[in-house]
Amino acid sequence: MRSPSAAPRIGRGWYLGAVLSAVLALGMCLLGWRQADLADRIGAHPVRVQGTVTRLPGGSATYSAVSYQADGGQRRATDLTLPTTAKVGDPICLEHAADDAGAVRVCDQHYPQAAGVRLAQISVPVALLLCALCLGRILRFRRAEGIRVRGERTRISATVAFATEALADGMPAITHGKRSRRRRKGGRRALR
């Protein structure tokens, strides 16, 4: 239990939440920007090639895989948005950028990984909202803490002002005009 005189503290979770949500928003922005950049590069000078489905997505940890021939070598693209009727071994039409054979997407689609773009579109606003909530809570606590500290400083300065005034007048306000007496060990007067 906290003592009444102890200063209130804000939990570290608010700071951690603000940092993590800001990092998430930044990461998702970069993912969306990367997909848009790849889509623009492919759309500028698309080169159509024939690919073969080598793996289908299965569960959360398995991505689709498509192998294709480009620039005189065998390449592989993962996590492309495949048609729902695709099976392993099926041929599939792909487009890659003329200047980069690694920038590839399925024909008639805009983004190479449309799921990543949708994830960025959903998660960036949520992460920014969470970051704003955490920062608002932190700032509200800091403002309240500043008001509390200013109140304590005012109270301390008033006490100091009262004490200095009392010292300047010979301390009658503290001792009511009487000199204070120190008690000696052993009672009022030590016996001789």
Side-chain angles (χ1 to χ4, degrees), residues 45-91:
H45 302 290
V47 176
R48 288 194 175 225
V49 294
Q50 192 70 22
T52 305
V53 177
T54 57
R55 185 175 64 208
L56 294 174
S60 61
T62 307
Y63 301 109
S64 64
V66 176
S67 62
Y68 61 100
Q69 190 81 19
D71 290 341
Q74 191 70 19
R75 293 186 168 259
R76 183 176 166 177
T78 58
D79 201 23
L80 296 178
T81 305
L82 300 176
T84 55
T85 59
K87 295 188 266 324
V88 174
D90 284 355

Side-chain angles (χ1 to χ4, degrees), residues 6-148:
R9 292 180 19 179
I10 189 168
R12 291 185 189 140
W14 291 103
Y15 293 101
L16 185 63
V19 169
L20 289 179
S21 57
V23 168
L24 176 66
L26 180 64
M28 289 294 115
C29 281
L30 290 175
L31 173 68
W33 174 80
R34 173 80 175 138
Q35 292 299 310
D37 180 54
L38 288 174
D40 291 343
R41 288 173 49 203
I42 296 168
H45 302 290
V47 176
R48 288 194 175 225
V49 294
Q50 192 70 22
T52 305
V53 177
T54 57
R55 185 175 64 208
L56 294 174
S60 61
T62 307
Y63 301 109
S64 64
V66 176
S67 62
Y68 61 100
Q69 190 81 19
D71 290 341
Q74 191 70 19
R75 293 186 168 259
R76 183 176 166 177
T78 58
D79 201 23
L80 296 178
T81 305
L82 300 176
T84 55
T85 59
K87 295 188 266 324
V88 174
D90 284 355
I92 191 162
C93 175
L94 300 174
E95 294 177 329
H96 69 79
D99 60 343
D100 182 11
V104 66
R105 68 182 175 197
V106 175
C107 294
D108 302 325
Q109 289 191 4
H110 186 67
Y111 296 107
Q113 297 170 341
V117 174
R118 283 193 295 276
L119 179 64
Q121 290 171 340
I122 293 169
S123 62
V124 168
V126 170
L128 289 176
L129 179 65
L130 181 62
C131 183
L133 288 173
C134 290
L135 288 175
R137 174 68 175 106
I138 291 167
L139 290 175
R140 193 174 77 206
F141 173 78
R142 293 273 174 126
R143 193 174 299 126
E145 184 69 11
I147 291 170
R148 186 185 66 78

